[in-house]
């Protein structure tokens, strides 16, 4: 019994989806003349068929049959990636990508070539630097084709969306700076997959959720996390970090500072400013003799200053203002040899060493306002102080 074929709506949808899938599979596997019109499909194909996390399937490979030839296969792959990226740009006010056409990708503004690490006779795209270009757009999964990129600097643009997982193919990544953009989603854990990465800067974006403990186990020089929406605790693994600079500021980190912080062997600068951190300062902070900048301001730290803080012999900038600290500010902290600026304002201290009084020494800036210090100007009211001081914290 031969019934006439009826295209029912569900079948029609399925068929449409299937044809698109087939079309794009074909697109990615056969010889292809990549005209401008065809290249314009690339970002669409990402939106239509690539997984949401921006993964680049292992079998993805394009053949570009252009009239022009490329110096080598790696530059051709970079070309495909850069053309996909150009199509994913919605606004380019300084025309930075204006010359991103043709096979000479090494001449593109913001694209830097160098000899391949594994073959000095082959030129490859080793870096991208679009700092300050104010470009709006997203990062297409095709960027995973630029496997020789070691330096990726995008700071101060308007890139949005997620960091595609396909970037895990950039095994040589050394410096990754996507700061001051509009990226969203969880911490871009693709950064954990790069074996040689030294510098990770994701500050001033809208990343949210947990910061993975593995981040601090990598051999990094600098970790910039500030001005996002991270909500996790600070992992105990921070003690394993080789970083000299770590910034947590202006997020919603909660919990305590882990005791393991004392094990950070290269630390020069650590910024906890403006989070929801609390508890007492662990005495292990005093082991950080090479720290120049210690900023724990605008949190909810309680208790007294650990006597071990006298071990911060390298500290220049020391800011513990805006917490719920109590007790005495000891003289020996105010006499730390490198001290330039010590701010302990907006706490509940009720005593201070003589050299801790602002104006006691001209070379050091001190701020003791809004505490509970007898005979000092601009202090909290007796009533305000009584509420906190009458309930001492047992650290
Ligand atoms: C952008 O740059 C390209 C190549 O340098 C140039 O041809 C084009 O006219 C420029 N566009 C604008 C709007 O300036």
């Amino acid at each position: 019994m031969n019934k006439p074929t009826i295209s029912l709506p569900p079948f029609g949808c399925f068929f449409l989806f299937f044809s698109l899938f087939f079309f794009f599979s074909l697109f990615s596997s056969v010889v292809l003349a990549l005209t401008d019109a065809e290249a314009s499909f690339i970002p669409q194909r990402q939106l239509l068929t690539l997984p949401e996390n921006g993964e680049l399937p292992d079998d993805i490979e394009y053949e570009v049959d252009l009239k022009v030839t490329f110096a080598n296969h790696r530059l051709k792959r970079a070309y495909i990636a850069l053309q996909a990226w150009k199509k994913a740009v919605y606004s380019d006010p300084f025309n930075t990508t204006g010359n991103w056409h043709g096979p000479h990708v090494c001449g593109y503004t913001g694209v830097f070539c160098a000899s391949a690490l594994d073959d000095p006779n082959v030129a490859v795209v080793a870096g991208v630097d679009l700092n300050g270009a104010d470009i709006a757009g997203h990062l297409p999964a095709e960027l995973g084709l630029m496997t020789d990129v070691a330096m990726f600097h995008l700071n101060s643009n308007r890139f949005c969306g997620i960091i595609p997982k396909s970037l895990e193919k950039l095994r040589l990544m050394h410096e990754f700076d996507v700061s001051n953009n509009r990226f969203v989603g969880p911490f871009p854990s693709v950064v954990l997959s790069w074996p040689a990465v030294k510098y990770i800067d994701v500050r001033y974006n809208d990343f949210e959720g947990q910061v993975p403990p593995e981040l601090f186990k990598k051999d990094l020089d600098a970790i910039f996390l500030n001005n996002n929406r991270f909500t996790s605790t600070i992992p105990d693994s921070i003690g394993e970090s080789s970083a000299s600079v770590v910034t947590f500021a202006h997020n919603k980190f909660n919990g305590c500072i882990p005791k393991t912080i004392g094990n950070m062997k290269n630390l020069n600068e650590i910024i906890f400013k403006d989070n929801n951190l609390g508890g007492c300062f662990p005495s292990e902070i005093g082991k950080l003799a090479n720290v120049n900048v210690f900023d724990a301001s605008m949190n909810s730290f309680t208790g007294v200053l650990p006597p071990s803080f006298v071990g911060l012999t390298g500290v220049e900038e020391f800011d513990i203002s805006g917490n719920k600290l109590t007790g005495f500010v000891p003289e020996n902290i105010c006499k730390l040899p490198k001290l330039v600026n010590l701010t302990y304002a907006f706490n509940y201290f009720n005593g201070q060493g003589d050299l801790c009084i602002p104006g006691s020494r001209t070379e050091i800036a001190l701020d003791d306002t809004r505490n509970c210090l007898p005979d000092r100007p601009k202090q909290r009211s007796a009533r305000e102080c009584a509420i906190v001081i009458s309930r001492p914290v047992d650290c």
Side-chain angles (χ1 to χ4, degrees):
M1 296 224 295
N2 265 343
K3 283 186 192 166
T5 316
I6 301 167
S7 204
L8 293 168
F11 179 75
C13 287
F14 177 77
F15 182 74
L16 179 66
F17 176 79
F18 186 79
S19 347
L20 281 173
F21 184 79
F22 182 72
F23 172 73
F24 289 116
S25 309
L26 201 69
F27 183 86
S28 62
S29 58
V30 299
V31 171
L32 170 74
L34 198 75
T35 64
D36 276 358
E38 284 163 328
S40 75
F41 279 114
I42 289 175
Q44 287 179 39
R45 182 186 45 70
Q46 184 202 5
L47 295 174
L48 289 168
T49 64
L50 290 188
E52 250 172 53
N53 63 3
E55 227 165 326
L56 195 63
D58 277 336
D59 57 358
I60 203 159
E61 186 63 79
Y62 306 85
E63 288 298 329
V64 183
D65 179 23
L66 292 166
K67 305 287 176 292
V68 288
T69 50
F70 290 89
N72 62 64
H73 182 67
R74 286 142 90 165
L75 288 179
K76 186 166 74 179
R77 286 164 63 90
Y79 169 82
I80 294 161
L82 291 163
Q83 291 308 313
W85 201 2
K86 185 174 162 127
K87 298 292 175 191
V89 164
Y90 315 127
S91 164
D92 182 1
F94 304 131
N95 201 18
T96 307
T97 61
N99 65 359
W100 286 23
H101 50 72
H104 301 292
V105 294
C106 299
Y108 289 12
T109 303
V111 175
F112 296 90
C113 291
S115 300
L117 289 180
D118 57 334
D119 185 349
N121 300 315
V122 171
V124 292
V125 173
V128 172
D129 186 342
L130 295 175
N131 283 355
D134 198 26
I135 292 171
H138 70 267
L139 305 187
E142 283 82 354
L143 291 180
L145 294 167
M146 295 207 289
T147 46
D148 296 289
V149 164
M151 189 195 80
F152 192 75
H153 287 185
L154 294 191
N155 99 48
S156 303
N157 282 280
R158 293 172 286 152
F159 286 107
C160 62
I162 58 163
I163 307 291
K165 192 163 182 297
S166 64
L167 294 190
E168 72 194 359
K169 300 198 187 305
L170 279 42
R171 307 294 291 168
L172 303 177
M173 187 68 79
H174 195 261
E175 289 177 23
F176 184 71
D177 177 359
V178 294
S179 62
N180 199 20
N181 277 285
R182 295 172 185 177
F183 290 112
V184 296
F187 179 86
S189 47
V190 63
V191 308
L192 304 175
S193 69
W194 298 321
V197 67
K198 290 286 175 197
Y199 181 99
I200 291 177
D201 189 347
V202 301
R203 68 189 133 161
Y204 293 95
N205 278 290
D206 280 323
F207 293 114
E208 60 191 304
Q210 308 276 311
V211 168
E214 295 76 17
L215 180 63
F216 300 102
K217 299 181 183 180
K218 293 195 70 73
D219 187 19
L220 291 162
D221 289 337
I223 304 173
F224 295 96
L225 303 172
N226 57 284
N227 298 81
N228 279 286
R229 300 171 179 220
F230 293 121
T231 48
S232 53
T233 55
I234 293 175
D236 283 344
S237 60
I238 191 171
E240 295 169 57
S241 179
S242 54
S244 60
V245 180
V246 185
T247 65
F248 295 101
H250 308 294
N251 279 288
K252 293 196 165 59
F253 286 102
N254 58 71
C256 304
I257 297 179
K259 289 181 185 304
T260 55
I261 191 175
N263 303 333
M264 294 182 78
K265 52 186 190 295
N266 300 324
L267 191 63
N268 293 136
E269 186 169 333
I270 191 151
I271 316 284
F272 296 108
K273 183 176 186 148
D274 183 26
N275 278 289
N276 297 335
L277 297 164
C280 297
F281 287 131
S283 62
E284 288 78 1
I285 289 172
K287 291 198 222 165
L288 300 169
N290 295 321
V291 161
N292 309 127
V293 180
F294 182 87
D295 187 342
S297 63
M298 297 167 70
N299 281 286
S300 295
F301 292 109
T302 56
V304 300
L305 294 182
S308 68
F309 273 15
V310 72
L312 292 166
T313 48
V315 77
E316 295 167 24
E317 299 287 330
F318 196 0
D319 192 345
I320 51 173
S321 64
N323 284 291
K324 295 172 184 163
L325 300 164
T326 51
F328 196 81
V329 183
E331 182 102 326
N332 54 16
I333 290 181
C334 305
K335 277 199 313 198
L336 283 166
K338 295 281 174 62
L339 198 60
V340 175
N341 193 341
L342 168 61
T343 304
Y344 54 96
F346 291 89
N347 278 289
Y348 294 85
F349 291 113
N350 62 356
Q352 67 201 138
D354 287 344
L355 290 178
C356 299
I357 297 173
S360 59
R361 281 167 306 160
T362 50
E363 71 278 19
I364 297 175
L366 296 156
D367 188 352
D368 68 354
T369 55
R370 292 279 156 201
N371 278 285
C372 304
L373 298 162
D375 312 321
R376 290 289 305 155
K378 298 187 199 149
Q379 298 299 303
R380 296 182 188 274
S381 71
R383 207 165 125 251
E384 222 184 328
C385 290
I387 297 168
V388 173
I389 291 175
S390 64
R391 281 181 298 181
V393 177
D394 183 10
C395 287

